[in-house]
Amino acid sequence: MEAYAVQAVHGVVYGMLLFLVTSGLTLVFGMMGVLNMAHAAFYMVGAYFTYSLVQWTGSFWLCLLLAPIGVGIIGAFVERALLRKVHTFGHAHELMLTFGIFYILAEVVKWIWGTYPLTVVAPDVLNGSVPFLSATYPTYRLFILLVSVIVLFILAFIMQKTRIGIIVRAAVFDNEMVDILGVNVQLVFLGVFSIGSALAGLAGVVAAPFLSTYPGMGLEILVDAFVVIVIGGFGSVWGALLAALMIGELQSFGIMLIPELALVFQFLLMAIVLVWRPQGLFGESA
Amino acid sequence: MTHTRTKNVLTVLIVLAALVVLPYLLTEVQLNMAIEIAFFSLFAVSYNLLLGYGGVLSFGHAAYFGTGAYFMVFALKYVAGMPILPAVLVSGVAAGLTAAIVGFFCVRLGGSYFALLTLAFNQLIYAIALKWRSLTGGDDGIGLDKHDMYLPFVGNLDTMSTFTVYYLTVIIVLISLWLIRFFLKTPYGNTVACVKDNEERAAFIGYNVFRSKLVLFTMAGFFAGIAGALFAFFEEFVSLDSINMAMSTEVLFMAFIGGTGSFLGPVLGAAVFIYFTEWVSDITEHWEFFLGVLFVLLILYANRGIIGLIPEKIKNFWSPRSASAGER
Amino acid sequence: MTLALKDVNTYYDKSHILQDVSFSIQEKEVVGLLGRNGVGKSTTLKSISGVVTPRSGSILYKGKELRGLKPHQVTKLGIGYVPEERRIFPNLTVQQNLLIGVQSRRARAQEEEAWTLERAYDLFPQLKARQSSKGGNLSGGEQQMLTIVRTLMGNPDLLLLDEPTEGLAPMLVEVVTGVIREIHGSGISILLVEQNFEVILELTSRTYVMSKGRVVFEGTSAQLADNHEVRKQYLEV
Ligand SMILES: Nc1ncnc2c1ncn2[C@@H]1O[C@H](COP(=O)(O)OP(=O)(O)O)[C@@H](O)[C@H]1O
Ligand SMILES: [Mg+2]
């Protein structure tokens, strides 16, 4: 019984990490209608920044701040200098462009950091474990949970209570009208894209000591994130939360119970959702 | 009219003659490259059915290429005395069926949904190939049992010879390309290929957009499978490399770099791509980075691909009727 | 002169919609813009507000050229645009809809009679009653109020109104007419696009009539009322 409880918590932890990654993705998609494939690369770059920053500064805590800022700046450049240019070409081009950026960043990462998996060590405080039921549970996993929940609350607060959040939600619906009302929507896009990228970077930071930091990590999380988006519904933050937790649990118990098929389960779930509710659990329309 | 026709026939004859004599002019290494360009051309053209004609972006086309490649191995391995040409056909059919099933889920959803679903299904099929070790050899891959090929009136052909593989590949690719071209020119093929431009109008006049897209997707899968079978036959070995995301990426690069607006653009793209992998990789080990940069630059500044950079006059001469005309 | 258009030409792709459109509006004036469906009235307002960019000509507002500016830049200069389709945000509450229109940096916003949330609610108790309802749940009349008030929150000096009474019941038409008169009373110039001739006669001092992308009549509203030929040729169905 206890093994199940532990596995369930593992599922929540991975689910919340997944949510952290997809939150930025859905934010950007909801507002700009762009499925940003480069998001996965931003996540990876966040992890690699963490590796180097820990080497130079010795402080993991600093990374929680600096790496997302660094990735956010890259995101701002991508939106401003590249994405905006192809907007008029249509969405297939936008998708291809973000994919091209994903591809280039993955190569740059290999170029700079090599192809071998790197180890990032978490600070001592987070390295231990805390009592859990009759045994213990790794502190670092709880830390991931904490960070994700804090981000979730901050995001929810901004979106519900602040003017900028309201503007973003209005722009999701009709960005031209927001512009007509005197808000520089391009600037809002730039901001949302940077923050979405920074969130991916933050997810990379917390993932670095937890999962291994290697050039394939982007693609790996990208696929999981996509499955989450399809299940949760495009652009829906709550859908993403629910779906991320579902995938987390599914993987966690899948690996425990039927390891050979664990990989396949989430795709199966996705196929079922697609047949039953093509717009996703919380999506409004396809 | 007849004048252009004569010119067309002449062009085709010259190209065919060139393809026939090519093996005698090339070194062994170059000949191998030519074979690769041939089957990747078919792969890229099949992909362009989706991107150029269907207007949808797939990140999972390797699933069908890989399915074809694996089935080529299975057919020759598990069916005693399986002749080679039917084995190629079986591979194409297997890939086409897979595409039909995946397409059923994907094609009704447009845009970004389509893109990420194709990627997810690619990963699913990849996962199956990875986990089903007893059948596919998992990450060790699986060898292909080659045997001689019997052709009526010709007799037995030595399939170990690069010459044979070359002619076999080129002939199958040419026939496939011709079939695709032929299909696109039939009235039905024409409507199917125009889904991209007038989806709303098509739905309005009551013709079945879903079915057209599914037909297109299945066909793209079928010919990707044929290309995969030729790949397996050439490599004499199939591994997960044939079915992974990198392969799906490569075919996107080939098609787009060549040019999605014309029928033959992807053929050019396949050639450029093979050149990159064979030659630029000698110059720098970061050739993939430069490939990505080339891709992004083309998206930004020349979204008709390299073929779009060729002046109209030359293009009209050697590719008398490009798909861009049909694209309107 | 507050606003002056001179030889404005606007295209949608290759179709040439506005053809050498010229007209002007004086300070604190209410000017009508009339014409049958599809003659380019909405396109004129879109050209002024920056939603579409005219290919040639000039649009001077208090001496500044508007052509080429983005909609938010035009708004910041003091021109409020209420589009025909109303375009309220259905996923936001009434209050949130109004908040988006706020332009706190405009000089007019500092003045005593500036539009604020409180003042808007005083004037439209209906909106106050529904302040936490989702915009999508409002009736057509309430939506029309909301979209006008939302633009007023930016404290414009010039208001562009595109068919504000379209599709409203006669009683609501009167209410909206009253509101527009009130807005004018507070010192705002208005360019009013309308199909309802009575509303035009009641509110405007001068009128322009358009046909096929050109201005074909210009005069006081009284003159237009008497000019049966113009009315017959360009307005009545
Ligand atoms: N977005 C658009 N794209 C192409 N043509 C348009 C567009 N909007 C309007 N038009 C055309 O421009 C002309 C003028 O439209 P509009 O300005 O809306 O007319 P009005 O407001 O006077 O009814 C019409 O013929 C209409 O079909
Ligand atoms: Mg109109």
Side-chain angles (χ1 to χ4, degrees):
Chain A
M1 202 56 230
E2 221 179 290
Y4 284 91
V6 170
Q7 211 64 21
V9 181
H10 282 350
V12 173
V13 169
Y14 184 66
M16 286 308 286
L17 178 64
L18 214 47
F19 170 73
L20 200 55
V21 177
T22 41
S23 60
L25 203 57
T26 37
L27 202 65
V28 168
F29 184 84
M31 179 147 178
M32 306 170 68
V34 179
L35 181 69
N36 178 22
M37 309 265 300
H39 198 76
F42 293 154
Y43 159 83
M44 179 159 68
V45 170
Y48 276 96
F49 274 177
T50 307
Y51 173 81
S52 291
L53 281 170
V54 168
Q55 299 254 304
W56 293 335
T57 67
S59 166
F60 176 78
W61 302 109
L62 209 57
C63 303
L64 281 174
L65 186 69
L66 291 185
I69 292 177
V71 176
I73 291 172
I74 299 178
F77 170 80
V78 165
E79 201 280 335
R80 188 65 241 267
L82 306 172
L83 201 51
R84 202 174 286 188
K85 279 216 175 91
V86 301
H87 181 71
T88 48
F89 300 165
H91 94 259
H93 277 81
E94 289 177 316
L95 253 177
M96 274 195 284
L97 180 76
T98 62
F99 178 73
I101 294 161
F102 167 81
Y103 187 87
I104 291 175
L105 282 178
E107 293 306 319
V108 170
V109 161
K110 284 184 208 162
W111 198 336
I112 299 178
W113 285 282
T115 52
Y116 291 105
L118 304 175
T119 316
V120 174
V121 183
D124 289 340
V125 222
L126 300 177
N127 264 335
S129 45
V130 293
F132 180 72
L133 299 176
S134 63
T136 60
Y137 194 81
T139 316
Y140 193 79
R141 288 179 186 240
L142 296 178
F143 171 72
I144 294 179
L145 204 59
L146 182 73
V147 172
S148 317
V149 170
I150 290 175
V151 168
L152 174 63
F153 275 105
I154 293 178
L155 273 185
F157 177 80
I158 292 176
M159 296 302 268
Q160 298 296 328
K161 301 287 177 207
T162 66
R163 181 174 143 90
I164 183 78
I166 292 167
I167 287 173
V168 169
R169 279 163 62 208
V172 166
F173 194 78
D174 183 348
N175 63 56
E176 190 183 74
M177 191 62 221
V178 172
D179 207 74
I180 290 171
L181 287 169
V183 178
N184 186 350
V185 162
Q186 287 288 11
L187 204 63
V188 179
F189 280 178
L190 182 66
V192 166
F193 198 89
S194 314
I195 291 183
S197 315
L199 281 174
L202 180 65
V205 177
V206 295
F210 173 54
L211 307 168
S212 92
T213 301
Y214 72 107
M217 68 186 291
L219 183 60
E220 196 173 307
I221 203 91
L222 185 68
V223 173
D224 282 359
F226 278 9
V227 173
V228 164
I229 290 185
V230 171
I231 293 176
F234 259 109
S236 160
V237 174
W238 298 114
L241 179 63
L242 181 71
L245 289 173
M246 280 166 78
I247 295 299
E249 293 300 338
L250 202 64
Q251 288 204 357
S252 182
F253 281 103
I255 287 170
M256 180 182 182
L257 301 173
I258 325 171
E260 307 82 39
L261 293 180
L263 264 176
V264 180
F265 276 144
Q266 53 178 330
F267 295 114
L268 221 56
L269 179 66
M270 183 182 80
I272 292 169
V273 168
L274 276 176
V275 172
W276 171 58
R277 242 186 104 76
Q279 72 273 42
L281 297 180
F282 280 61
E284 297 196 341
S285 66
Chain B
M1 233 18 233
T2 44
H3 181 70
T4 22
R5 209 188 159 85
T6 328
K7 203 168 77 180
N8 287 356
V9 171
L10 262 177
T11 315
V12 168
L13 283 180
I14 292 170
V15 169
L16 284 181
L19 287 173
V20 170
V21 298
L22 204 59
Y24 299 93
L25 307 174
L26 298 180
T27 65
E28 178 78 10
V29 174
Q30 288 168 333
L31 189 58
N32 280 330
M33 269 174 77
I35 298 172
E36 281 187 86
I37 290 174
F39 60 71
F40 275 131
S41 292
L42 178 57
F43 187 28
V45 169
S46 81
Y47 181 80
N48 198 40
L49 285 174
L50 301 176
L51 184 58
Y53 291 90
V56 288
L57 188 58
S58 164
F59 286 112
H61 209 48
Y64 319 109
F65 184 80
T67 302
Y70 276 106
F71 268 81
M72 184 70 184
V73 173
F74 301 156
L76 294 180
K77 190 181 186 116
Y78 297 117
V79 184
M82 182 72 160
I84 283 161
L85 289 178
V88 172
L89 198 63
V90 164
S91 310
V93 170
L97 281 177
T98 314
I101 295 168
V102 172
F104 175 80
F105 291 100
C106 299
V107 299
R108 69 181 78 224
L109 302 162
S112 308
Y113 248 111
F114 180 86
L116 59 78
L117 281 180
T118 49
L119 189 144
F121 276 106
N122 196 156
Q123 289 305 106
L124 170 64
I125 291 169
Y126 173 84
I128 293 172
L130 173 70
K131 294 291 175 184
W132 201 340
R133 271 200 102 80
S134 56
L135 189 65
T136 64
D139 37 22
D140 293 334
I142 185 172
L144 179 135
D145 307 327
K146 253 189 189 175
H147 54 69
D148 280 358
M149 180 173 159
Y150 175 78
L151 277 186
F153 309 115
V154 180
N156 269 334
L157 292 173
D158 171 19
T159 54
M160 297 310 281
S161 132
T162 316
F163 269 52
T164 316
V165 176
Y166 170 84
Y167 286 120
L168 183 75
T169 306
V170 166
I171 288 170
I172 293 179
V173 167
L174 284 179
I175 292 175
S176 301
L177 291 182
W178 181 79
L179 281 174
I180 296 175
R181 193 77 189 259
F182 180 79
F183 171 79
L184 290 175
K185 277 187 192 160
T186 62
Y188 184 68
N190 195 32
T191 49
V192 165
C194 288
V195 187
K196 169 180 155 187
D197 301 316
N198 45 25
E199 187 159 329
E200 269 164 42
R201 184 148 41 99
F204 185 70
I205 53 179
Y207 115 105
N208 196 331
V209 173
F210 172 72
R211 203 181 56 190
S212 309
K213 282 182 163 181
L214 192 57
V215 166
L216 205 60
F217 198 82
T218 306
M219 222 174 85
F222 173 81
F223 285 106
I226 301 273
L230 296 174
F231 165 79
F233 195 70
F234 167 73
E235 295 274 343
E236 299 171 20
F237 173 77
V238 176
S239 74
L240 293 169
D241 288 347
S242 67
I243 205 162
N244 63 12
M245 184 64 198
M247 187 62 90
S248 290
T249 307
E250 284 169 13
V251 74
L252 162 64
F253 283 0
M254 288 179 213
F256 189 82
I257 288 174
T260 55
S262 60
F263 185 79
L264 290 178
V267 174
L268 180 65
V272 171
F273 184 86
I274 297 300
Y275 174 80
F276 244 93
T277 51
E278 298 286 332
W279 294 93
V280 182
S281 63
D282 282 350
I283 303 166
T284 160
E285 58 176 313
H286 302 294
W287 62 275
E288 283 171 299
F289 169 79
F290 294 102
L291 189 68
V293 170
L294 173 66
F295 178 64
V296 165
L297 285 178
L298 286 173
I299 294 175
L300 289 172
Y301 299 108
N303 61 49
R304 302 190 62 86
I306 292 180
I307 213 165
L309 300 174
I310 299 172
E312 283 301 318
K313 256 190 182 160
I314 307 176
K315 201 160 66 183
N316 283 345
F317 185 79
W318 65 267
S319 170
R321 252 205 255 163
S322 63
S324 54
E327 212 182 56
R328 260 168 294 133
Chain C
M1 210 162 2
T2 290
L3 181 78
L5 278 74
K6 185 146 183 16
D7 296 334
V8 170
N9 286 280
T10 301
Y11 293 70
Y12 289 118
D13 278 331
K14 288 192 183 103
S15 40
H16 190 170
I17 306 294
L18 297 190
Q19 310 186 10
D20 293 327
V21 168
S22 304
F23 65 82
S24 61
I25 300 172
Q26 309 294 331
E27 187 106 9
K28 310 220 158 117
E29 202 182 13
V30 183
V31 172
L33 189 58
L34 281 85
R36 294 207 173 101
N37 268 331
V39 298
K41 304 181 299 292
S42 297
T43 306
T44 306
L45 297 198
K46 286 180 189 167
S47 302
I48 300 169
S49 63
V51 173
V52 296
T53 305
R55 203 167 286 179
S56 68
S58 92
I59 304 176
L60 286 181
Y61 174 67
K62 294 181 177 166
K64 275 210 185 84
E65 177 62 57
L66 298 185
R67 189 163 72 92
L69 295 188
K70 299 260 175 60
H72 68 266
Q73 294 171 314
V74 173
T75 306
K76 290 212 165 87
L77 288 175
I79 299 179
Y81 166 47
V82 181
E84 196 172 357
E85 312 84 6
R86 293 173 191 165
R87 295 165 78 168
I88 53 145
F89 304 111
N91 53 341
L92 301 184
T93 66
V94 167
Q95 175 137 342
Q96 290 170 335
N97 264 280
L98 293 177
L99 272 177
I100 292 190
V102 173
Q103 289 289 317
S104 46
R105 287 212 202 107
R106 280 190 45 70
R108 212 190 169 91
Q110 319 304 335
E111 287 171 16
E112 204 161 310
E113 77 257 37
W115 288 91
T116 58
L117 218 52
E118 294 79 48
R119 183 159 168 229
Y121 282 154
D122 279 351
L123 217 76
F124 302 95
Q126 237 170 320
L127 289 183
K128 183 173 182 147
R130 308 217 56 177
Q131 59 177 304
S132 20
S133 315
K134 287 272 153 73
N137 298 334
L138 300 187
S139 70
E142 288 170 334
Q143 290 196 358
Q144 186 60 58
M145 290 301 167
L146 178 58
T147 185
I148 294 176
V149 178
R150 183 177 63 180
T151 301
L152 285 179
M153 298 303 291
N155 284 296
D157 300 319
L158 169 65
L159 194 60
L160 313 173
L161 286 173
D162 200 343
E163 307 207 18
T165 67
E166 189 189 14
L168 296 184
M171 221 179 67
L172 283 169
V173 171
E174 252 168 63
V175 176
V176 170
T177 312
V179 167
I180 296 173
R181 194 178 298 117
E182 192 127 359
I183 295 168
H184 179 221
S186 73
I188 297 176
S189 331
I190 297 174
L191 176 58
L192 177 65
V193 169
E194 252 312 340
Q195 301 267 9
N196 188 328
F197 195 61
E198 300 198 351
V199 173
I200 286 285
L201 280 184
E202 204 175 324
L203 291 173
T204 63
S205 50
R206 283 194 308 124
T207 337
Y208 294 92
V209 175
M210 289 182 72
S211 174
K212 295 182 186 158
R214 294 177 181 278
V215 175
V216 291
F217 171 88
E218 153 177 18
T220 65
S221 300
Q223 281 171 343
L224 178 62
D226 294 337
N227 193 334
H228 293 282
E229 207 162 299
V230 168
R231 288 179 59 179
K232 199 165 170 178
Q233 196 175 349
Y234 299 119
L235 299 178
E236 275 137 39
V237 201

